[in-house]
Amino acid sequence: MLLTGTYPRTLDDKKRLTLPKKVREQLGESTLELFLAQGLDQCLWIYDKGGLGRLADKLDQTPATDAEARVFRRLFFAQMEAVDMDKASRVLVPERLLEFAGLKHEVVLLGVRDHLELWDAERWQQYRAQNGPRFDAVAEASFQK
């Protein structure tokens, strides 16, 4: 699956996020149940069941004796929430995940290859302003790994 794009969104009064049609099309049949979790850089990660399974398989490649991997797996999976999409293509964002990511009313949904990220709109703009000028250098370093 290839998730792409940037989608400015708003959370409604009940803290529900409406998934854009293009994102639902990219997700395909898997949009009925999604998994929300704490992500890096104070955003939320959103996975469908297949994407989450692939991530879990990758995490399982680290030995059980790896203390850092154990901490990550415990914190990541224990704080994850399975959410169902309603008929209006909305998912309810749990309060504790809203607090973690500092989400208010204006948010941005990003397609990041195998998952979605949900950012507070203001913080996303700050992130882009800070990291955008480094794009060429970061791209070069990423391709050399």
Side-chain angles (χ1 to χ4, degrees):
M1 174 181 343
L2 185 60
L3 297 167
T4 61
T6 300
Y7 308 91
R9 311 304 293 164
T10 55
L11 297 177
D12 69 13
D13 292 340
K14 295 182 181 179
K15 305 303 182 196
R16 294 176 296 194
L17 169 72
T18 302
L19 295 179
K21 181 178 180 183
K22 186 162 182 132
V23 169
R24 294 191 315 270
E25 290 170 350
Q26 290 176 11
L27 287 168
E29 297 293 322
S30 61
T31 55
L32 295 177
E33 183 180 40
L34 297 172
F35 298 86
L36 278 65
Q38 292 182 1
L40 302 177
D41 301 314
Q42 200 181 352
C43 72
L44 297 183
W45 286 351
I46 304 173
Y47 281 93
D48 69 349
K49 196 169 198 168
L52 182 59
R54 287 185 292 280
L55 176 65
D57 289 344
K58 185 173 178 110
L59 291 172
D60 285 346
Q61 293 174 9
T62 59
T65 56
D66 183 323
E68 292 295 314
R70 282 195 319 270
V71 169
F72 176 76
R73 283 192 296 254
R74 285 180 185 133
L75 294 175
F76 181 68
F77 288 106
Q79 298 178 85
M80 181 179 292
E81 290 281 340
V83 295
D84 294 323
M85 187 169 56
D86 67 16
K87 291 180 182 176
S89 303
R90 297 174 301 199
V91 294
L92 177 65
V93 181
E95 187 65 35
R96 63 185 173 75
L97 293 175
L98 286 166
E99 290 174 10
F100 164 80
L103 301 180
K104 300 171 192 83
H105 185 64
E106 301 294 325
V107 297
V108 178
L109 185 66
L110 308 174
V112 189
R113 191 187 171 283
D114 64 343
H115 68 284
L116 299 164
E117 290 185 352
L118 186 60
W119 287 73
D120 174 74
E122 185 177 323
R123 198 169 51 265
W124 172 244
Q125 291 305 320
Q126 292 169 353
Y127 183 89
R128 284 192 52 204
Q130 180 181 2
N131 293 288
R134 302 179 333 127
F135 180 80
D136 288 352
V138 171
E140 187 175 318
S142 296
F143 282 104
Q144 291 179 3
K145 292 182 181 179

